[in-house]
Amino acid sequence: MKTISIIGAGPAGIEAASVLSKQGIAVNIFEKSSSPLKNITDKAFLFPNFAAASDIAELMNKKLLSQNITQYYDTEIIGLTREGERGWKLIDSKNSSHYADMVLLATGYTPFDAHRKEELGYGIYNGVVTSLEMEKMIRYNQILNSIGEKPKRVVFLQCVGSRDEKSGNHYCSKVCCVTAVKQAIEVKRQIPDAEVFIFYMDLRMWGQHFEEMYRESQQEYGVRFVRGRISEASGTFDGRVQIKAEDTLMGLPLKMTTDLLVLMVGMEASEGTRCLAKAAGICGDYGFAQSIDPHINDCSTSQPGLFVCGACKRPMSINDVVNDGRSAALAILDSIK
């Protein structure tokens, strides 16, 4: 019987493990964290239907309840090499070796580190937070400014670490636009009197029901959209944040103070993705893993017996990675036949 090792217990890896296990395939799934689904459990609600992230995580966790799936947590795979007829050798951070006939890389992404955009004041001014921190505020109904009060004004800034020559990431992270709209609605639901602004370059509402949610945010919740980039953020004497920007529709400079500035951070290849893609010889653009072809062979790689799925290839939404995990499982099953 073939043994499959999956590196990464996110939604892509779990979905692939579930499909394979139902076909009687033995699966070992390795996760560096102490629990699965880290990039879901730090969310509050998911677009476009505002489903509770905890409910989705619970459903995904149930997929791991199979006698054919062996789970390894607190186990970071740092080495990946082809061992001829023995298949693949995986080396963990404790220098233990694991062997598999085939390997599926599902190591996902990491959020862009907003400290790298020093001009935006993250880590300098308490009123500047990331979209991940805003998710936690929303989840626990604790949307507060730097002095512990409910904000009267909240500003969201798109494309932090994406489509940005200075950070080296020219690509779009795909989910930031819709996440900002979702969070803006959630802020208005919890604090109806708050003013909410979204600064954007252009809005990419690419998914089903996303355009409708964008319209709803304006018509029902009064969220205001400003086409422009914020060039600088600084603190004020009363704990607020002053931003300087340009309204590119009006062609005018703009100054505004806000209680919270929310930086919509993009996706980057995780350290695990970068390390293992390099070790296996499947490095792609920006440190992501490279598949054979993005159209019809997107889960296979140039290395026999090595497959990839999910956001280790490029930025994806959660429903994208679940579907991609299923596709990877089918590609593995096809290669076994």
mmCIF file with all atom_site columns, all heavy atoms in Angstrom, residues 163-176:
data_model
loop_
_atom_site.group_PDB
_atom_site.id
_atom_site.type_symbol
_atom_site.label_atom_id
_atom_site.label_alt_id
_atom_site.label_comp_id
_atom_site.label_asym_id
_atom_site.label_entity_id
_atom_site.label_seq_id
_atom_site.pdbx_PDB_ins_code
_atom_site.Cartn_x
_atom_site.Cartn_y
_atom_site.Cartn_z
_atom_site.occupancy
_atom_site.B_iso_or_equiv
_atom_site.pdbx_formal_charge
_atom_site.auth_seq_id
_atom_site.auth_comp_id
_atom_site.auth_asym_id
_atom_site.auth_atom_id
_atom_site.pdbx_PDB_model_num
ATOM 1   N N   . ARG A 1 163 ? 1.103  44.265 -4.459 1.00 0.00 ? 163 ARG A N   1
ATOM 2   C CA  . ARG A 1 163 ? 1.127  45.245 -5.555 1.00 0.00 ? 163 ARG A CA  1
ATOM 3   C C   . ARG A 1 163 ? 2.016  46.428 -5.178 1.00 0.00 ? 163 ARG A C   1
ATOM 4   O O   . ARG A 1 163 ? 1.676  47.590 -5.413 1.00 0.00 ? 163 ARG A O   1
ATOM 5   C CB  . ARG A 1 163 ? -0.299 45.714 -5.880 1.00 0.00 ? 163 ARG A CB  1
ATOM 6   C CG  . ARG A 1 163 ? -1.264 44.594 -6.198 1.00 0.00 ? 163 ARG A CG  1
ATOM 7   C CD  . ARG A 1 163 ? -2.670 45.084 -6.381 1.00 0.00 ? 163 ARG A CD  1
ATOM 8   N NE  . ARG A 1 163 ? -2.791 45.905 -7.585 1.00 0.00 ? 163 ARG A NE  1
ATOM 9   C CZ  . ARG A 1 163 ? -3.834 46.671 -7.846 1.00 0.00 ? 163 ARG A CZ  1
ATOM 10  N NH1 . ARG A 1 163 ? -4.830 46.738 -6.986 1.00 0.00 ? 163 ARG A NH1 1
ATOM 11  N NH2 . ARG A 1 163 ? -3.872 47.377 -8.953 1.00 0.00 ? 163 ARG A NH2 1
ATOM 12  N N   . ASP A 1 164 ? 3.154  46.095 -4.579 1.00 0.00 ? 164 ASP A N   1
ATOM 13  C CA  . ASP A 1 164 ? 3.997  47.114 -3.962 1.00 0.00 ? 164 ASP A CA  1
ATOM 14  C C   . ASP A 1 164 ? 5.450  46.864 -4.337 1.00 0.00 ? 164 ASP A C   1
ATOM 15  O O   . ASP A 1 164 ? 6.060  45.902 -3.876 1.00 0.00 ? 164 ASP A O   1
ATOM 16  C CB  . ASP A 1 164 ? 3.807  47.053 -2.449 1.00 0.00 ? 164 ASP A CB  1
ATOM 17  C CG  . ASP A 1 164 ? 4.661  48.063 -1.699 1.00 0.00 ? 164 ASP A CG  1
ATOM 18  O OD1 . ASP A 1 164 ? 5.179  48.991 -2.343 1.00 0.00 ? 164 ASP A OD1 1
ATOM 19  O OD2 . ASP A 1 164 ? 4.811  47.904 -0.478 1.00 0.00 ? 164 ASP A OD2 1
ATOM 20  N N   . GLU A 1 165 ? 5.987  47.741 -5.160 1.00 0.00 ? 165 GLU A N   1
ATOM 21  C CA  . GLU A 1 165 ? 7.362  47.566 -5.621 1.00 0.00 ? 165 GLU A CA  1
ATOM 22  C C   . GLU A 1 165 ? 8.358  47.660 -4.475 1.00 0.00 ? 165 GLU A C   1
ATOM 23  O O   . GLU A 1 165 ? 9.363  46.938 -4.446 1.00 0.00 ? 165 GLU A O   1
ATOM 24  C CB  . GLU A 1 165 ? 7.679  48.621 -6.682 1.00 0.00 ? 165 GLU A CB  1
ATOM 25  C CG  . GLU A 1 165 ? 8.957  48.361 -7.440 1.00 0.00 ? 165 GLU A CG  1
ATOM 26  C CD  . GLU A 1 165 ? 9.079  49.207 -8.698 1.00 0.00 ? 165 GLU A CD  1
ATOM 27  O OE1 . GLU A 1 165 ? 8.055  49.738 -9.159 1.00 0.00 ? 165 GLU A OE1 1
ATOM 28  O OE2 . GLU A 1 165 ? 10.198 49.333 -9.201 1.00 0.00 ? 165 GLU A OE2 1
ATOM 29  N N   . LYS A 1 166 ? 8.066  48.502 -3.497 1.00 0.00 ? 166 LYS A N   1
ATOM 30  C CA  . LYS A 1 166 ? 9.002  48.683 -2.394 1.00 0.00 ? 166 LYS A CA  1
ATOM 31  C C   . LYS A 1 166 ? 9.170  47.408 -1.576 1.00 0.00 ? 166 LYS A C   1
ATOM 32  O O   . LYS A 1 166 ? 10.276 47.063 -1.146 1.00 0.00 ? 166 LYS A O   1
ATOM 33  C CB  . LYS A 1 166 ? 8.527  49.821 -1.486 1.00 0.00 ? 166 LYS A CB  1
ATOM 34  C CG  . LYS A 1 166 ? 9.472  50.126 -0.331 1.00 0.00 ? 166 LYS A CG  1
ATOM 35  C CD  . LYS A 1 166 ? 8.995  51.297 0.507  1.00 0.00 ? 166 LYS A CD  1
ATOM 36  C CE  . LYS A 1 166 ? 9.928  51.549 1.679  1.00 0.00 ? 166 LYS A CE  1
ATOM 37  N NZ  . LYS A 1 166 ? 9.449  52.685 2.517  1.00 0.00 ? 166 LYS A NZ  1
ATOM 38  N N   . SER A 1 167 ? 8.085  46.679 -1.352 1.00 0.00 ? 167 SER A N   1
ATOM 39  C CA  . SER A 1 167 ? 8.171  45.443 -0.574 1.00 0.00 ? 167 SER A CA  1
ATOM 40  C C   . SER A 1 167 ? 8.634  44.266 -1.415 1.00 0.00 ? 167 SER A C   1
ATOM 41  O O   . SER A 1 167 ? 8.925  43.194 -0.881 1.00 0.00 ? 167 SER A O   1
ATOM 42  C CB  . SER A 1 167 ? 6.807  45.119 0.047  1.00 0.00 ? 167 SER A CB  1
ATOM 43  O OG  . SER A 1 167 ? 5.878  44.742 -0.948 1.00 0.00 ? 167 SER A OG  1
ATOM 44  N N   . GLY A 1 168 ? 8.677  44.448 -2.735 1.00 0.00 ? 168 GLY A N   1
ATOM 45  C CA  . GLY A 1 168 ? 9.114  43.378 -3.620 1.00 0.00 ? 168 GLY A CA  1
ATOM 46  C C   . GLY A 1 168 ? 8.013  42.438 -4.063 1.00 0.00 ? 168 GLY A C   1
ATOM 47  O O   . GLY A 1 168 ? 8.264  41.470 -4.779 1.00 0.00 ? 168 GLY A O   1
ATOM 48  N N   . ASN A 1 169 ? 6.781  42.707 -3.656 1.00 0.00 ? 169 ASN A N   1
ATOM 49  C CA  . ASN A 1 169 ? 5.650  41.862 -4.028 1.00 0.00 ? 169 ASN A CA  1
ATOM 50  C C   . ASN A 1 169 ? 4.784  42.591 -5.056 1.00 0.00 ? 169 ASN A C   1
ATOM 51  O O   . ASN A 1 169 ? 3.999  43.466 -4.708 1.00 0.00 ? 169 ASN A O   1
ATOM 52  C CB  . ASN A 1 169 ? 4.806  41.514 -2.791 1.00 0.00 ? 169 ASN A CB  1
ATOM 53  C CG  . ASN A 1 169 ? 5.572  40.703 -1.779 1.00 0.00 ? 169 ASN A CG  1
ATOM 54  O OD1 . ASN A 1 169 ? 6.486  39.963 -2.127 1.00 0.00 ? 169 ASN A OD1 1
ATOM 55  N ND2 . ASN A 1 169 ? 5.203  40.816 -0.514 1.00 0.00 ? 169 ASN A ND2 1
ATOM 56  N N   . HIS A 1 170 ? 4.932  42.221 -6.313 1.00 0.00 ? 170 HIS A N   1
ATOM 57  C CA  . HIS A 1 170 ? 4.188  42.899 -7.372 1.00 0.00 ? 170 HIS A CA  1
ATOM 58  C C   . HIS A 1 170 ? 2.799  42.304 -7.573 1.00 0.00 ? 170 HIS A C   1
ATOM 59  O O   . HIS A 1 170 ? 1.985  42.876 -8.297 1.00 0.00 ? 170 HIS A O   1
ATOM 60  C CB  . HIS A 1 170 ? 4.970  42.830 -8.687 1.00 0.00 ? 170 HIS A CB  1
ATOM 61  C CG  . HIS A 1 170 ? 6.282  43.548 -8.624 1.00 0.00 ? 170 HIS A CG  1
ATOM 62  N ND1 . HIS A 1 170 ? 7.251  43.427 -9.600 1.00 0.00 ? 170 HIS A ND1 1
ATOM 63  C CD2 . HIS A 1 170 ? 6.807  44.385 -7.703 1.00 0.00 ? 170 HIS A CD2 1
ATOM 64  C CE1 . HIS A 1 170 ? 8.314  44.162 -9.276 1.00 0.00 ? 170 HIS A CE1 1
ATOM 65  N NE2 . HIS A 1 170 ? 8.060  44.747 -8.128 1.00 0.00 ? 170 HIS A NE2 1
ATOM 66  N N   . TYR A 1 171 ? 2.528  41.154 -6.961 1.00 0.00 ? 171 TYR A N   1
ATOM 67  C CA  . TYR A 1 171 ? 1.290  40.439 -7.211 1.00 0.00 ? 171 TYR A CA  1
ATOM 68  C C   . TYR A 1 171 ? 0.157  40.933 -6.296 1.00 0.00 ? 171 TYR A C   1
ATOM 69  O O   . TYR A 1 171 ? 0.378  41.558 -5.264 1.00 0.00 ? 171 TYR A O   1
ATOM 70  C CB  . TYR A 1 171 ? 1.492  38.936 -6.995 1.00 0.00 ? 171 TYR A CB  1
ATOM 71  C CG  . TYR A 1 171 ? 2.006  38.583 -5.608 1.00 0.00 ? 171 TYR A CG  1
ATOM 72  C CD1 . TYR A 1 171 ? 1.131  38.409 -4.536 1.00 0.00 ? 171 TYR A CD1 1
ATOM 73  C CD2 . TYR A 1 171 ? 3.368  38.426 -5.367 1.00 0.00 ? 171 TYR A CD2 1
ATOM 74  C CE1 . TYR A 1 171 ? 1.592  38.109 -3.274 1.00 0.00 ? 171 TYR A CE1 1
ATOM 75  C CE2 . TYR A 1 171 ? 3.844  38.120 -4.104 1.00 0.00 ? 171 TYR A CE2 1
ATOM 76  C CZ  . TYR A 1 171 ? 2.947  37.960 -3.058 1.00 0.00 ? 171 TYR A CZ  1
ATOM 77  O OH  . TYR A 1 171 ? 3.421  37.657 -1.806 1.00 0.00 ? 171 TYR A OH  1
ATOM 78  N N   . CYS A 1 172 ? -1.068 40.609 -6.686 1.00 0.00 ? 172 CYS A N   1
ATOM 79  C CA  . CYS A 1 172 ? -2.251 40.874 -5.874 1.00 0.00 ? 172 CYS A CA  1
ATOM 80  C C   . CYS A 1 172 ? -2.480 39.682 -4.946 1.00 0.00 ? 172 CYS A C   1
ATOM 81  O O   . CYS A 1 172 ? -2.364 38.531 -5.365 1.00 0.00 ? 172 CYS A O   1
ATOM 82  C CB  . CYS A 1 172 ? -3.467 41.066 -6.792 1.00 0.00 ? 172 CYS A CB  1
ATOM 83  S SG  . CYS A 1 172 ? -5.061 41.156 -5.931 1.00 0.00 ? 172 CYS A SG  1
ATOM 84  N N   . SER A 1 173 ? -2.815 39.958 -3.680 1.00 0.00 ? 173 SER A N   1
ATOM 85  C CA  . SER A 1 173 ? -3.070 38.875 -2.726 1.00 0.00 ? 173 SER A CA  1
ATOM 86  C C   . SER A 1 173 ? -4.514 38.381 -2.752 1.00 0.00 ? 173 SER A C   1
ATOM 87  O O   . SER A 1 173 ? -4.901 37.541 -1.945 1.00 0.00 ? 173 SER A O   1
ATOM 88  C CB  . SER A 1 173 ? -2.694 39.314 -1.309 1.00 0.00 ? 173 SER A CB  1
ATOM 89  O OG  . SER A 1 173 ? -1.292 39.331 -1.150 1.00 0.00 ? 173 SER A OG  1
ATOM 90  N N   . LYS A 1 174 ? -5.308 38.907 -3.610 1.00 0.00 ? 174 LYS A N   1
ATOM 91  C CA  . LYS A 1 174 ? -6.617 38.357 -4.003 1.00 0.00 ? 174 LYS A CA  1
ATOM 92  C C   . LYS A 1 174 ? -7.734 38.536 -2.987 1.00 0.00 ? 174 LYS A C   1
ATOM 93  O O   . LYS A 1 174 ? -8.877 38.784 -3.361 1.00 0.00 ? 174 LYS A O   1
ATOM 94  C CB  . LYS A 1 174 ? -6.478 36.870 -4.355 1.00 0.00 ? 174 LYS A CB  1
ATOM 95  C CG  . LYS A 1 174 ? -7.677 36.283 -5.070 1.00 0.00 ? 174 LYS A CG  1
ATOM 96  C CD  . LYS A 1 174 ? -7.425 34.863 -5.536 1.00 0.00 ? 174 LYS A CD  1
ATOM 97  C CE  . LYS A 1 174 ? -8.605 34.347 -6.324 1.00 0.00 ? 174 LYS A CE  1
ATOM 98  N NZ  . LYS A 1 174 ? -8.369 32.968 -6.823 1.00 0.00 ? 174 LYS A NZ  1
ATOM 99  N N   . VAL A 1 175 ? -7.468 38.385 -1.704 1.00 0.00 ? 175 VAL A N   1
ATOM 100 C CA  . VAL A 1 175 ? -8.556 38.401 -0.717 1.00 0.00 ? 175 VAL A CA  1
ATOM 101 C C   . VAL A 1 175 ? -8.649 39.692 0.086  1.00 0.00 ? 175 VAL A C   1
ATOM 102 O O   . VAL A 1 175 ? -9.588 39.868 0.864  1.00 0.00 ? 175 VAL A O   1
ATOM 103 C CB  . VAL A 1 175 ? -8.430 37.206 0.258  1.00 0.00 ? 175 VAL A CB  1
ATOM 104 C CG1 . VAL A 1 175 ? -8.479 35.889 -0.502 1.00 0.00 ? 175 VAL A CG1 1
ATOM 105 C CG2 . VAL A 1 175 ? -7.167 37.299 1.097  1.00 0.00 ? 175 VAL A CG2 1
ATOM 106 N N   . CYS A 1 176 ? -7.687 40.598 -0.063 1.00 0.00 ? 176 CYS A N   1
ATOM 107 C CA  . CYS A 1 176 ? -7.650 41.796 0.795  1.00 0.00 ? 176 CYS A CA  1
ATOM 108 C C   . CYS A 1 176 ? -8.829 42.725 0.549  1.00 0.00 ? 176 CYS A C   1
ATOM 109 O O   . CYS A 1 176 ? -9.405 43.268 1.501  1.00 0.00 ? 176 CYS A O   1
ATOM 110 C CB  . CYS A 1 176 ? -6.346 42.562 0.580  1.00 0.00 ? 176 CYS A CB  1
ATOM 111 S SG  . CYS A 1 176 ? -4.867 41.534 0.716  1.00 0.00 ? 176 CYS A SG  1
#
